[in-house]
């Protein structure tokens, strides 16, 4: 199942490989579903028709953005599990949705002091929005696809 997972940590750039390894380990042993209060109203995922994404931000500004061919609940749970390692006890907010895997998408990224929009086919604008936020070294980034 091809998917992409991205992480930005404002504390230290050198711990990114460790963060990714811990996130992948946590994702391997975690549930694929969020609590009903977080994800109960989500429509059923339709493989092959759309991709899903989740944007998660902690109250201290650390963020995670993941997308690919999986249920959005899977992406959100994986984000939360990974962020718990670096922001234990910190409040988190997640937003999720679907994008057109083969068609036109518009992605907005809003961070502290940084905002931009990307448009294009498939997951290209999601990847571009992530890279923009990462290379801007921005904090509290939130991604929306429409």
């Amino acid at each position: 199942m091809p998917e992409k997972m991205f992480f930005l940590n404002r504390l230290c750039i050198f711990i990114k490989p460790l963060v990714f390894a811990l996130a992948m380990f946590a994702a391997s042993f975690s549930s694929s579903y969020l609590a009903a209060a977080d994800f109960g109203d989500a429509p059923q995922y339709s493989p092959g028709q759309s991709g899903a994404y989740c944007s998660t931000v902690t109250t201290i500004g650390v963020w995670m953005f993941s997308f690919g061919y999986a249920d959005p609940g899977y992406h959100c749970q994986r984000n939360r599990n990974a962020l718990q390692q670096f922001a234990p006890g910190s409040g988190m907010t997640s937003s999720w949705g679907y994008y057109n895997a083969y068609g036109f998408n518009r992605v907005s990224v809003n961070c502290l002091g940084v905002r931009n929009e990307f448009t294009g086919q498939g997951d290209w604008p999601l990847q571009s929005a992530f890279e923009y936020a990462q290379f801007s070294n921005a904090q509290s980034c939130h991604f929306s696809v429409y």
Side-chain angles (χ1 to χ4, degrees):
M1 170 168 21
E3 51 195 17
K4 298 176 178 133
M5 183 173 148
F6 306 105
F7 182 76
L8 176 67
N9 185 340
R10 72 179 184 155
L11 302 176
C12 296
I13 290 183
F14 68 89
I15 65 172
K16 282 184 185 179
L18 175 63
V19 170
F20 185 75
L22 287 172
M24 295 308 292
F25 177 79
S28 298
F29 295 99
S30 68
S31 169
S32 295
Y33 302 100
L34 290 176
D38 293 331
F39 198 67
D41 60 341
Q44 197 67 3
Y45 173 67
S46 302
Q49 298 176 3
S50 61
Y53 74 92
C54 184
S55 175
T56 306
V57 181
T58 67
T59 54
I60 62 171
V62 181
W63 58 269
M64 186 172 229
F65 179 57
S66 59
F67 61 92
Y69 297 103
D71 190 276
Y74 172 77
H75 292 293
C76 288
Q77 187 63 51
R78 195 161 83 164
N79 288 357
R80 288 177 179 218
N81 288 344
L83 289 171
Q84 279 294 339
Q85 302 293 319
F86 297 95
S90 179
M92 294 183 203
T93 57
S94 291
S95 61
W96 54 268
Y98 298 98
Y99 65 95
N100 189 333
Y102 304 104
F104 181 81
N105 294 293
R106 179 175 292 161
V107 181
S108 172
V109 57
N110 292 300
C111 309
L112 290 178
V114 177
R115 184 189 184 310
N116 209 342
E117 228 175 66
F118 298 85
T119 57
Q121 296 291 114
D123 64 3
W124 178 86
L126 286 83
Q127 176 73 32
S128 296
F130 164 75
E131 289 173 359
Y132 175 80
Q134 181 184 31
F135 294 126
S136 297
N137 202 21
Q139 302 303 313
S140 299
C141 294
H142 175 75
F143 299 80
S144 300
V145 181
Y146 51 98

